[in-house]
Amino acid sequence: MAWFKRQSGELDSSGEKRVRTEGLWVKCDNCRQIIWKKDLEDNLDVCPKCDKHFRIDARTRLAQLLDEGVYEIFDDNLASTDPLKFVDLKSYSSRLEQAKAETGLKDAVISARGKMNGRPVIVSAMEYAFIGGSMGAVVGEAITRAIEQSIATSNPLVIVSASGGARMMEGVISLMQLAKISAALARLDEARVPFISVLTDPTTGGVTASFAMLGDLNIAEPGALIGFAGPRVIEQTIRQKLPPGFQRSEFLLQHGMLDAVVPRRELKPYIVRALDFMSPAAA
Ligand SMILES: [Zn+2]
């Protein structure tokens, strides 16, 4: 017989044991430092220690770029109809439902009217959290309408890309958006209204292959992954090892694919200055 017997109920193992700290601290996956989340947010979601630019959602982006964080959203009622009734591991319609619930958006872009330093602008910001920011018929239509708004009002256009490319669940319909948007941008060009393309981490596939690289200025955030095909596919095709930093903004700037790499803190002043230069009359 044991000399010690635990009385039942003596230890209370139920209930919360840990103090809730989750969400207060973030680990930077570049420098591995622990950062206080508030510090990170105050620094526009850029690591204060190593300058890594964290991904931000479309609403945060609009709030950072537009005066007083004030903007008016338009064309937010468009939603995909799943034209191919596509199913992979999950059905596309259930993916759409999940993404809608998680982001509160109908698709992967928000278009807004607002002001930058007092100048009226149209800004479309892509939402990476919505099925990888992929471009289907809705994103294509929303961006085309934003371009048409710019043409109608002569207000400059800024598109902030964050996308894995065309949305494969919409097959050829998503690929058609490349041509549609490019044609709209050609009309914007004829109307002589400026378009600044901001490429953020990541901007790949069909988005790079269409509007993201068609700006009057193509600028990127530091360290952003920008490319068309992934590095593994390219290595297998050309049978060569790719250089370090390949497909990052700094590498692309060096090789003439971008006009500038602009840190997030300087992004708004940079765009404002560029627009003053491109259309001084409207200032
Ligand atoms: Zn860091």
Side-chain angles (χ1 to χ4, degrees), residues 28 30-32 35 47 49-52:
C28 172
N30 186 46
C31 67
R32 314 230 150 251
I35 321 158
C47 174
K49 310 235 162 77
C50 73
D51 217 31
K52 179 195 160 64

Side-chain angles (χ1 to χ4, degrees), residues 5 7 68 82 97 123 137 166 181 236:
K5 192 160 177 263
Q7 298 291 313
E68 281 110 43
D82 186 10
E97 285 314 313
V123 182
I181 294 173
Q236 281 164 10

Side-chain angles (χ1 to χ4, degrees), residues 72-121:
E72 181 200 342
I73 293 174
F74 60 94
D75 288 331
D76 57 343
N77 54 347
L78 302 169
S80 175
T81 54
D82 186 10
L84 305 179
K85 306 284 168 240
F86 191 88
V87 179
D88 49 275
L89 294 172
K90 268 160 82 178
S91 71
Y92 175 41
S93 57
S94 71
R95 281 185 200 279
L96 281 170
E97 285 314 313
Q98 193 191 343
K100 281 179 197 168
E102 282 170 6
T103 60
L105 298 176
K106 291 232 167 100
D107 217 299
V109 69
I110 305 180
S111 294
R113 295 181 198 95
K115 287 185 175 173
M116 288 178 94
N117 248 21
R119 178 197 296 272
V121 288

Side-chain angles (χ1 to χ4, degrees), residues 147 151 184-193 216:
I147 298 167
I151 296 172
L185 283 174
R187 294 202 299 278
L188 184 73
D189 185 52
E190 280 160 23
R192 304 181 69 79
V193 179
D216 294 308

Side-chain angles (χ1 to χ4, degrees), residues 83-279:
L84 305 179
K85 306 284 168 240
F86 191 88
V87 179
D88 49 275
L89 294 172
K90 268 160 82 178
S91 71
Y92 175 41
S93 57
S94 71
R95 281 185 200 279
L96 281 170
E97 285 314 313
Q98 193 191 343
K100 281 179 197 168
E102 282 170 6
T103 60
L105 298 176
K106 291 232 167 100
D107 217 299
V109 69
I110 305 180
S111 294
R113 295 181 198 95
K115 287 185 175 173
M116 288 178 94
N117 248 21
R119 178 197 296 272
V121 288
I122 307 286
V123 182
S124 285
M126 299 190 75
E127 176 56 69
Y128 189 73
F130 197 107
I131 317 186
S134 52
M135 174 170 63
V138 173
V139 170
E141 178 64 17
I143 288 185
T144 304
R145 289 188 189 186
I147 298 167
E148 285 165 350
Q149 277 281 320
S150 272
I151 296 172
T153 57
S154 293
N155 293 332
L157 175 71
V158 178
I159 302 180
V160 185
S161 302
S163 172
R167 187 172 295 169
M168 61 157 200
M169 300 82 148
E170 292 190 16
V172 72
I173 294 160
S174 71
L175 292 179
M176 283 161 60
Q177 309 309 315
L178 278 74
K180 180 163 109 181
I181 294 173
S182 301
L185 283 174
R187 294 202 299 278
L188 184 73
D189 185 52
E190 280 160 23
R192 304 181 69 79
V193 179
F195 162 39
I196 295 181
S197 174
V198 181
L199 296 88
T200 69
D201 186 55
T203 298
T204 59
V207 168
T208 312
S210 61
F211 59 88
M213 284 294 182
L214 291 176
D216 294 308
L217 269 180
N218 301 323
I219 59 180
E221 286 194 332
L225 174 74
I226 298 164
F228 181 64
R232 218 170 337 125
V233 175
I234 300 174
E235 278 183 348
Q236 281 164 10
T237 309
I238 64 172
R239 290 167 197 282
Q240 278 182 44
K241 194 93 191 104
L242 294 167
F246 179 73
Q247 290 186 326
R248 294 285 163 184
S249 358
E250 294 75 12
F251 187 93
L252 291 169
L253 177 66
Q254 259 176 25
H255 292 80
M257 293 288 285
L258 291 174
D259 295 304
V261 174
V262 185
R264 194 170 288 161
R265 193 165 282 287
E266 291 160 33
L267 199 54
K268 184 176 175 183
Y270 187 99
I271 294 172
V272 165
R273 215 163 352 112
L275 291 179
D276 284 347
F277 176 76
M278 287 192 241
S279 47

